[in-house]
Amino acid sequence: MVAPHGTTIKETVVARRFIEVKGNSMLTKIKQLFSDSTAFALALMGNKIVAFLLVPVYTRALDPIQFGDWDMTNTIAMVLTYFCMLGVDTALAFYFFEAKDEKDRNGYFTAAVFVPTFISLIFLAIALIVSKPVADIMYVEPGEYPFLLFLAVLVIVFNVIIQQILAYARFARQVKTFMFGSMGYVIGSSLASVYFVVVEEAGVVGIFYGQIVAQALVAAILMWVYRDKFTRSVEQRHVRELLKYGAPLLPALLAFWVMNAMSRPMIYHMVSPEEAGVFGLAVRFASIIALLTAAFQLAWRPFSVSIKDQEDAPRIYSLLGRAFLVIGTFFILFLTFFIEPIIKIVAGNEAFFGAYPYVWMLALGTVLNTMHLIVGVGLLINKETKAISKTFMAAAPLYFIGNLVLLPIIGAWGTGIMNVITYLFAFLSIYRKGQKIYPVDFRMKSMIAYLALYLTTMGAITWFQMNEWDGLWLVYIGATLFMMLAVFLTGLFNKESLSMVQRLLPKLVGKR
């Protein structure tokens, strides 16, 4: 049983027993999680660095309206990508470890690559027909983008191949292949896009030209490298089991991306195209948090499944969940201290300088979205994925209605606020459902108290920044000290928790 909150003697005994009696295997697993997260973070860091090098290029080559056109199209393409995936990427993470043998695993892999590819080709044929009429509805100047949607979907065809093959590399812990493949397609796409945008002066269309050229090449290379992993035919059993596990997650994935996708068109048409462009830039800066969340998420799925049958698994889930929340929120806190000057330096265009206040809200939404995978771990390992979908299907209307009400009143601030509210709702709802199936003491009351103090602190910092207060550095120091104190005042961590982490740390980093 998990030690109840506040029972410090029992927690001390549990920690000692965990370290001294059964610690070796679990320490190996946790060390693997941190090792994999670090490796994935390095790949993502390279990708993010490249992405940020593109920001000053695009903000100088495109005006805010064009930037908004690109951002909106790119976001819609991400939604379509999940329609193509049908959740089989998540299902592959499960069946990679559940497969009977290598041949069975290769069957799942083959199905996981070619089913989404086939679906994406269907969408490509549809896009060829509807691209022009959709452009007439979506864009202020549709004449410039008659086939932009078709180009965006063509990118998806190559992207799903790349992502599924890299997923296999990730689950097989082929870290070098994952790093080179991931960085290769991002860097290649970026360089090719810059050529078309800057040299050929192709504007928004040029960005997609570059992605098509580079991703087609990387997809071909990866398919050649993993050619021995593909089976000659796709068995119905593999397709059926992947879809049975993954398809119930589709509404959740779609709801997540629809929430992201519909905010841009709503700002574009209800506020202004310029404001949509500024908000799109804020989204890109907020994605810095993906260095933490995406790396952890990529490592978390195989890790959480691999330890699910261990007696100490609930304790590990709890410790890592609380630690992730603290690390994620402090990452955003420190980012907020420097985000305004960073945006001014990187963007270089005064029309985009107003993006900085939205960044922390968007980044916090990403952290809360990642947290639902941790607090809902019981749903995932027990194949109760429908519960997650139901939560996000309820969250999407909440997000839409909130934006509909707030956008005319406070502009893009409404989207930022609803981003936090909606993902907080999803996080708490999935926690409640997960506890019914697989109880884990995450100290939820402490988490909620900590988040309440955090939101108050971040709101105050934003107010001081927007009013250009002279003593901002004092605010930053005070906020940091206050939130450090809040970690312990709320009971999120205590001496025994820190003692456990302290005992684990030397072994996690490989010290003797």
Side-chain angles (χ1 to χ4, degrees):
M1 294 294 291
V2 179
H5 176 51
T7 311
T8 57
I9 296 176
K10 189 171 182 179
E11 187 171 11
T12 303
V13 173
V14 167
R16 191 172 298 151
R17 178 174 176 268
F18 171 68
I19 297 297
E20 296 176 358
V21 180
K22 294 188 177 181
N24 290 337
S25 62
M26 298 309 282
L27 282 171
T28 301
K29 290 290 185 181
I30 300 177
K31 188 173 181 180
Q32 175 184 324
L33 173 67
F34 279 87
S35 174
D36 290 353
S37 295
T38 302
F40 298 144
L42 290 174
L44 292 167
M45 185 178 296
N47 296 345
K48 291 299 175 185
I49 289 172
V50 172
F52 276 103
L53 290 176
L54 293 180
V55 170
V57 176
Y58 291 161
T59 53
R60 288 164 175 80
L62 308 173
D63 60 40
I65 294 178
Q66 289 176 309
F67 198 95
D69 292 337
W70 167 55
D71 180 68
M72 184 166 56
T73 306
N74 195 53
T75 306
I76 291 172
M78 284 191 286
V79 174
L80 291 177
T81 300
Y82 280 91
F83 268 114
C84 298
M85 289 289 195
L86 286 176
V88 297
D89 52 336
T90 303
L92 181 60
F94 182 86
Y95 284 106
F96 180 91
F97 296 98
E98 292 291 309
K100 295 178 293 184
D101 49 37
E102 185 68 18
K103 182 180 178 181
D104 194 38
R105 183 177 294 116
N106 290 343
Y108 285 117
F109 171 60
T110 303
V113 172
F114 287 107
V115 169
T117 303
F118 176 74
I119 297 172
S120 67
L121 289 172
I122 295 175
F123 275 106
L124 184 66
I126 296 172
L128 181 62
I129 300 170
V130 304
S131 187
K132 191 177 186 303
V134 168
D136 292 335
I137 299 171
M138 284 179 56
Y139 307 111
V140 174
E141 298 180 5
E144 296 184 11
Y145 314 121
F147 295 104
L148 190 61
L149 183 61
F150 173 79
L151 296 175
V153 177
L154 184 56
V155 173
I156 293 173
V157 175
F158 303 120
N159 187 264
V160 295
I161 295 172
I162 294 170
Q163 293 304 324
Q164 294 297 79
I165 294 177
L166 290 181
Y168 181 91
R170 190 169 78 244
F171 304 145
R173 302 196 68 209
Q174 297 167 350
V175 178
K176 290 183 179 178
T177 303
F178 175 84
M179 290 179 66
F180 285 116
S182 178
M183 295 178 69
Y185 96 85
V186 172
I187 294 172
S189 297
S190 301
L191 292 176
S193 294
V194 168
Y195 169 78
F196 282 105
V197 172
V198 176
V199 179
E200 298 295 332
E201 298 182 354
V204 175
V205 176
I207 298 175
F208 292 98
Y209 284 159
Q211 291 177 348
I212 290 167
V213 171
Q215 293 191 30
L217 178 62
V218 173
I221 293 173
L222 286 174
M223 290 186 73
W224 173 258
V225 171
Y226 283 87
R227 64 191 183 279
D228 60 328
K229 300 297 181 183
F230 292 108
T231 57
R232 292 184 177 275
S233 61
V234 177
E235 293 185 23
Q236 289 186 2
R237 175 177 64 87
H238 292 136
V239 175
R240 185 173 59 253
E241 290 180 348
L242 287 173
L243 292 178
K244 185 177 179 181
Y245 186 97
L249 279 172
L250 183 60
L253 296 170
L254 286 177
F256 169 71
W257 283 111
V258 166
M259 284 191 289
N260 283 273
M262 68 184 175
S263 63
R264 280 21 164 256
M266 291 180 77
I267 296 172
Y268 190 95
H269 293 287
M270 295 179 66
V271 184
S272 71
E274 291 84 357
E275 187 68 12
V278 171
F279 189 84
L281 183 66
V283 172
R284 270 157 183 74
F285 276 93
S287 68
I288 293 174
I289 193 67
L291 292 174
L292 173 67
T293 59
F296 181 87
Q297 187 173 332
L298 292 175
W300 172 258
R301 285 178 179 174
F303 167 79
S304 60
V305 172
S306 68
I307 70 166
K308 64 184 176 68
D309 296 322
Q310 299 289 339
E311 182 182 347
D312 293 309
R315 258 191 312 279
I316 298 300
Y317 295 147
S318 173
L319 179 65
L320 293 177
R322 287 179 280 133
F324 179 82
L325 179 64
V326 172
I327 293 170
T329 50
F330 269 83
F331 186 105
I332 297 170
L333 179 68
F334 296 140
L335 174 63
T336 303
F337 296 163
F338 305 102
I339 193 61
E340 183 179 5
I342 290 174
I343 286 181
K344 288 182 176 179
I345 293 170
V346 175
N349 184 339
E350 191 173 349
F352 291 95
F353 289 174
Y356 77 90
Y358 310 126
V359 172
W360 74 265
M361 291 181 284
L362 298 170
L364 181 59
T366 302
V367 168
L368 292 174
N369 182 59
T370 305
M371 282 294 300
H372 94 261
L373 296 173
I374 303 174
V375 298
V377 64
L379 298 173
L380 292 170
I381 62 180
N382 285 287
K383 301 182 183 180
E384 296 291 337
T385 52
K386 288 182 180 179
I388 297 175
S389 293
K390 289 178 180 178
T391 293
F392 276 95
M393 288 174 71
L398 171 66
Y399 184 80
F400 177 77
I401 294 170
N403 272 275
L404 205 60
V405 172
L406 294 177
L407 278 175
I409 302 172
I410 56 177
W413 282 100
T415 298
I417 292 170
M418 287 309 303
N419 192 73
V420 175
I421 291 174
T422 305
Y423 289 117
L424 184 59
F425 162 78
F427 162 61
L428 295 174
S429 176
I430 290 171
Y431 162 77
R432 181 178 58 83
K433 293 175 181 178
Q435 290 297 100
K436 294 178 181 178
I437 295 175
Y438 188 87
V440 176
D441 181 16
F442 285 106
R443 300 187 184 178
M444 186 52 65
K445 290 183 179 179
S446 296
M447 280 189 175
I448 293 172
Y450 174 81
L451 283 170
L453 294 175
Y454 184 78
L455 289 170
T456 303
T457 301
M458 296 303 294
I461 291 172
T462 303
W463 187 87
F464 282 118
Q465 288 177 331
M466 295 192 68
N467 285 276
E468 299 180 351
W469 201 62
D470 291 335
L472 276 176
W473 63 275
L474 289 173
V475 174
Y476 297 160
I477 293 174
T480 302
L481 294 175
F482 177 71
M483 288 313 304
M484 289 174 66
L485 190 61
V487 172
F488 302 100
L489 288 177
T490 59
L492 199 59
F493 281 89
N494 52 29
K495 287 184 179 180
E496 286 70 30
S497 301
L498 289 180
S499 175
M500 185 175 179
V501 173
Q502 207 170 25
R503 290 169 182 264
L504 286 169
L505 192 59
K507 297 185 179 183
L508 290 177
V509 298
K511 292 181 181 179
R512 295 282 183 262

